[in-house]
Amino acid sequence: MMKKIAIMLLLACSAPLFAQVQVVNDAVSFHEAGNYEKARELIDGAVQHEATQGSALAWYVRGFIYKELYKQAGDTIARNAYRTVSVTSFTTSMQLDTDSVFRAENLQNLNYLAATCYNDAVLLLQPGNTEASTPLYEQYLGIATAADSAENYKAKIMEYKLILGLIYMQRAADDTLHRKAFMEKARACYTEVLKYDPDNFSANYRMGILYYNQAVDIIRDLDYEIEFYILDNMQDTCIVLAKNSLPYMLRAYKLDSGKEDPIKGLMGIYYMLNEKDKYNEYLKRLEDLKGGGKD
Amino acid sequence: MVLTYKVTSWFALAPVIFLVMAFSEDGDDYKVANAKIQSIFIWNFSRHIEWPDGYRTGDFVIAVMGNSYLKNELADMAKIKKVGNRTISVLAVNGIDDLPKCHILYVAPGHASMVATITGYLRGKSTLIVTEKDGLAKEGAVINFVVVNNKQKFELNVSNAEKHNLKISSQLSALAILVR
């Protein structure tokens, strides 16, 4: 690919630009020879020179060289830095490429770099390192936007937010001091997923759980000494939360009535609402499901 | 160059059951929550009702018939609360045969058919009978838990209280649904 570009460069340039275009061509040659540092030095100069700074091709070449540097780098900080420059270069090339000569190649490379960002972001979530993961995820979103293909990335956005939401819920379970804050972060994640896909089972079920757990937390933390009227108010609050939970849990159940979890969730919600008939109805459904009986 | 996205499938497989944050081991946290609310009510009953002589010394005894969640919750409460300076003792009972002298007896809905027998057995005794089924406040219970607009409330039969020589504070009466 890069050899073809080298030939294109030589054929396309006019005499006054020849010297600078030759720099770009030399960068291509060094790249082909595997001398990426030299290639980088040359191309960095070329994109700053007035003769070639407006060349979509020069920026494309730069993106390609930095992509190679990213792949070769062993140090994480250096890899991220090279990747960022590569993305910027391909994006700039796209902006300058008014005839869309390099559009397909630019998009292909941006898609590749987006995938690396996303994969790194998700890998960092495995040890629960949300602080390091989030900037990479944001970078991934930036690439998706630059590539004007945010729609295509919708599934990835939802996948990431579901994972992140789960991590926040785990943290809420482990960290009583910051529990509420983590639950709100989890809620934000699922809200975003449901914006894209209102019928996402996991997001619906977990939103239901979040509201329900909030109510349980309130009751658990009640002091025995509270006045009756405060107990009454707290019950009101819990009822609101349980009712907030209900539509999500009902939808989750509707989406997959063969799963035990939403049935158990509905049992809990209806019990909390003191709707024992409904509780018993779902208890029966759970027993039927476990027993393999008809619904 | 095409790079496939790595789907972190292990996250997708993470069990969701842990998401139900139980503060009971068997996962029925909603029953524990309900028991907590009822415990708070029972605690307040102990504070707003006066027992006669003969019931003012020794442990304050609460007997629970048919609801292990409530019994456990009251037992937890008993670890940190006293009635005046008296230790609260909570025990589970199955029927009148193992029913000791007690200050409060809670009868679960599943044992509602025993209320008439229990009322007869406790005639003349100063035990606050607390039930949780429609109509029982007229059948001998002093206090009957009910649900109004999804909330836990309670009915109070003052006449039944007087039959057991129990004095109900005006504050408690004001909060109750009075039943005659």
Side-chain angles (χ1 to χ4, degrees), chain B residues 26-99:
Chain B
D26 55 8
D28 293 341
D29 46 324
Y30 47 88
K31 291 189 179 178
V32 177
N34 189 62
K36 176 70 181 279
I37 291 176
Q38 290 186 331
S39 293
I40 292 174
F41 274 102
I42 290 173
W43 163 246
N44 277 284
F45 297 158
S46 75
R47 295 166 66 207
H48 292 285
I49 296 173
E50 193 180 309
W51 275 260
D53 291 342
Y55 284 79
R56 294 184 188 174
T57 57
D59 288 356
F60 187 92
V61 182
I62 302 175
V64 179
M65 189 182 294
N67 186 332
S68 60
Y69 293 96
L70 181 60
K71 187 260 174 186
N72 290 340
E73 187 59 38
L74 288 167
D76 285 344
M77 182 187 79
K79 293 174 187 171
I80 56 172
K81 290 291 173 196
K82 286 184 185 294
V83 175
N85 59 356
R86 297 156 68 189
T87 301
I88 299 172
S89 173
V90 181
L91 41 105
V93 296
N94 295 311
I96 56 176
D97 290 343
D98 60 346
L99 184 63

Side-chain angles (χ1 to χ4, degrees), chain A:
Chain A
M1 176 64 189
M2 288 294 269
K3 279 184 184 165
K4 267 183 166 170
I5 290 171
I7 294 167
M8 281 171 66
L9 276 170
L10 284 172
L11 291 174
C13 70
S14 59
L17 301 177
F18 187 83
Q20 201 52 45
V21 170
Q22 185 59 41
V23 171
V24 178
N25 192 47
D26 288 344
V28 171
S29 297
F30 276 114
H31 172 273
E32 290 290 316
N35 189 342
Y36 304 118
E37 280 302 325
K38 186 63 181 175
R40 174 168 80 116
E41 181 191 321
L42 291 173
I43 200 64
D44 279 350
V47 296
Q48 286 176 24
H49 195 283
E50 61 176 350
T52 42
Q53 66 185 189
S55 164
L57 182 56
W59 284 97
Y60 172 78
V61 169
R62 186 172 187 248
F64 219 91
I65 290 168
Y66 271 88
K67 188 182 83 173
E68 208 55 51
L69 286 166
Y70 154 77
K71 285 159 64 181
Q72 304 287 332
D75 174 68
T76 303
I77 293 174
R79 286 180 80 241
N80 287 344
Y82 289 141
R83 178 167 52 192
T84 300
V85 174
S86 181
V87 168
T88 306
S89 300
F90 284 125
T91 307
T92 304
S93 175
M94 276 187 68
Q95 289 165 354
L96 295 169
D97 186 18
T98 50
D99 294 331
S100 299
V101 173
F102 306 106
R103 182 173 172 78
E105 287 85 1
N106 277 319
L107 281 176
Q108 185 180 28
N109 283 288
L110 283 171
N111 279 329
Y112 167 80
L113 292 166
T116 66
C117 275
Y118 182 82
N119 289 343
D120 287 349
V122 170
L123 280 170
L124 282 166
L125 285 180
Q126 286 185 16
N129 195 345
T130 57
E131 290 75 20
S133 172
T134 303
L136 281 170
Y137 171 73
E138 298 291 332
Q139 187 175 20
Y140 156 78
L141 281 184
I143 299 172
T145 307
D148 197 25
S149 56
E151 268 298 306
N152 296 332
Y153 291 102
K154 203 188 291 184
K156 294 297 134 191
I157 292 170
M158 289 197 294
E159 182 184 75
Y160 183 84
K161 288 294 177 175
L162 282 173
I163 296 171
L164 189 61
L166 196 59
I167 287 173
Y168 284 136
M169 289 180 83
Q170 286 173 321
R171 287 190 177 179
D174 296 336
D175 184 346
T176 52
L177 194 60
H178 302 100
R179 180 145 139 165
K180 204 172 172 187
F182 283 128
M183 286 170 91
E184 285 307 315
K185 286 186 176 186
R187 202 188 325 271
C189 288
Y190 300 134
T191 300
E192 189 168 349
V193 173
L194 290 171
K195 186 178 71 180
Y196 291 115
D197 181 10
D199 288 332
N200 183 283
F201 173 85
S202 293
N204 274 290
Y205 173 73
R206 293 176 198 176
M207 279 290 268
I209 288 289
L210 278 170
Y211 280 114
Y212 169 82
N213 281 348
Q214 250 186 292
V216 169
D217 283 352
I218 287 172
I219 295 170
R220 184 195 54 217
D221 293 340
L222 287 174
D223 191 286
Y224 291 103
E225 298 286 347
I226 62 170
E227 299 289 339
F228 270 125
Y229 78 92
I230 296 177
L231 177 60
D232 204 65
N233 289 342
M234 290 293 107
Q235 286 196 76
D236 283 334
T237 301
C238 291
I239 286 163
V240 168
L241 289 167
K243 287 185 175 178
N244 283 345
S245 172
L246 197 53
Y248 293 107
M249 200 61 77
L250 280 170
R251 182 167 278 183
Y253 174 71
K254 193 177 166 188
L255 288 166
D256 193 343
S257 58
K259 276 196 165 76
E260 288 187 16
D261 289 328
I263 299 176
K264 289 177 182 174
L266 286 166
M267 285 168 60
I269 294 165
Y270 281 121
Y271 201 95
M272 189 170 284
L273 288 170
N274 287 302
E275 293 186 27
K276 297 292 165 54
D277 289 343
K278 279 288 191 186
Y279 165 79
N280 286 325
E281 176 189 326
Y282 283 96
L283 174 60
K284 172 91 175 38
R285 291 189 193 198
L286 181 66
E287 288 166 352
D288 287 346
L289 190 69
K290 283 183 172 178
K294 286 183 184 175
D295 206 355

Side-chain angles (χ1 to χ4, degrees), chain B residues 69-142:
Chain B
Y69 293 96
L70 181 60
K71 187 260 174 186
N72 290 340
E73 187 59 38
L74 288 167
D76 285 344
M77 182 187 79
K79 293 174 187 171
I80 56 172
K81 290 291 173 196
K82 286 184 185 294
V83 175
N85 59 356
R86 297 156 68 189
T87 301
I88 299 172
S89 173
V90 181
L91 41 105
V93 296
N94 295 311
I96 56 176
D97 290 343
D98 60 346
L99 184 63
K101 177 181 176 184
C102 57
H103 298 78
I104 298 176
L105 169 64
Y106 166 87
V107 182
H111 289 67
S113 59
M114 295 178 64
V115 169
T117 306
I118 291 168
T119 305
Y121 177 79
L122 291 175
R123 185 172 291 120
K125 296 186 174 70
S126 295
T127 299
L128 177 74
I129 302 171
V130 179
T131 56
E132 193 179 352
K133 193 166 175 128
D134 286 349
L136 289 183
K138 293 184 180 179
E139 301 292 327
V142 178

